[in-house]
Amino acid sequence: GNSVTQMEGPVTLSEEAFLTINCTYTATGYPSLFWYVQYPGEGLQLLLKATKADDKGSNKGFEATYRKETTSFHLEKGSVQVSDSAVYFCALSEVQGAQKLVFGQGTRLTINP
Amino acid sequence: KAGVTQTPRYLIKTRGQQVTLSCSPISGHRSVSWYQQTPGQGLQFLFEYFSETQRNKGNFPGRFSGRQFSNSRSEMNVSTLELGDSALYLCASSLAAGRTGELFFGEGSRLTVL
């Protein structure tokens, strides 16, 4: 079946450091890919998405590129801030038009000032 | 615009009991989906409703059921509770149709089964 694998956390970085959170997937067909973020005390929020190969999703300084050849969707940010501390989830959608997502295990990110 | 509202936020039940959780989607959103979040299994899809019809169902036993009303509000029910049902149950709404995977989540209902 379809699955998503994320790098294990927790990840701790200093402010202004470069961030990469790895995400790889297994899927039949051509899924859409997503990054969701869960800030402390808040619900999950969509951070960015990409719907086809080579698409780049971006938002709030975060970027991720849909790489079909490596089945990856790594999340990157050039300079993290303390406010980026959260849990990040990579996910894929199995069916176009449906809201059934397969999530990775989540990566907890802590940014120290 | 109000977000997704879930009630109750916290509840404690004992094994064998049943529970009903409620979800009010964002106004105008017609699709509601439910997820179970546990430390061991992570986020797992339960089911999705659109216009009062179940469109997709995850791999959960029949003790887990749901429904959607004409105003798009949704409920999920778990019967004969087991200890392993302790989890955060998340509801998400979306506009559906062309917005694949763009979900707006509530803060969840945390269920503890003793």
Side-chain angles (χ1 to χ4, degrees), chain B residues 12-19 63 78-82 113:
Chain B
I12 299 174
K13 294 285 187 178
T14 57
R15 279 180 297 174
Q17 289 186 309
Q18 74 166 12
V19 66
R63 301 185 296 107
V78 188
S79 62
T80 320
L81 284 166
E82 301 176 359
V113 182

Side-chain angles (χ1 to χ4, degrees), chain A residues 32 34 36 38 41-46 49 51 87 89 93-105, chain B residues 31 33 35 37 39-43 45 48 55-57 88 90 94 96-97 99-103 105-107:
Chain A
S32 295
F34 308 85
Y36 275 82
Q38 190 170 34
E42 298 184 19
L44 277 161
Q45 304 173 24
L46 177 64
K49 66 179 282 189
T51 58
V87 181
F89 294 88
S93 174
E94 296 182 310
V95 180
Q96 284 295 324
Q99 308 306 350
K100 179 180 180 181
L101 297 183
V102 176
F103 283 89
Q105 286 294 101
Chain B
S31 172
S33 50
Y35 288 81
Q37 187 176 22
Q41 299 298 316
L43 279 154
F45 172 80
E48 177 197 353
R55 290 178 56 173
N56 287 290
K57 189 176 192 302
L88 181 67
L90 295 171
S94 75
R99 301 297 185 103
T100 304
E102 293 187 20
L103 305 181
F105 283 85
E107 293 186 22

Side-chain angles (χ1 to χ4, degrees), chain B residues 39-59:
Chain B
Q41 299 298 316
L43 279 154
Q44 293 187 287
F45 172 80
L46 280 157
F47 19 67
E48 177 197 353
Y49 289 89
F50 179 77
S51 293
E52 303 177 67
T53 301
Q54 187 179 88
R55 290 178 56 173
N56 287 290
K57 189 176 192 302
N59 191 24

Side-chain angles (χ1 to χ4, degrees), chain B residues 22-23 49 51-52 67-75:
Chain B
S22 180
C23 172
Y49 289 89
S51 293
E52 303 177 67
R67 59 178 176 168
Q68 186 181 32
F69 302 94
S70 58
N71 61 358
S72 295
R73 192 177 69 85
S74 177
E75 289 181 347

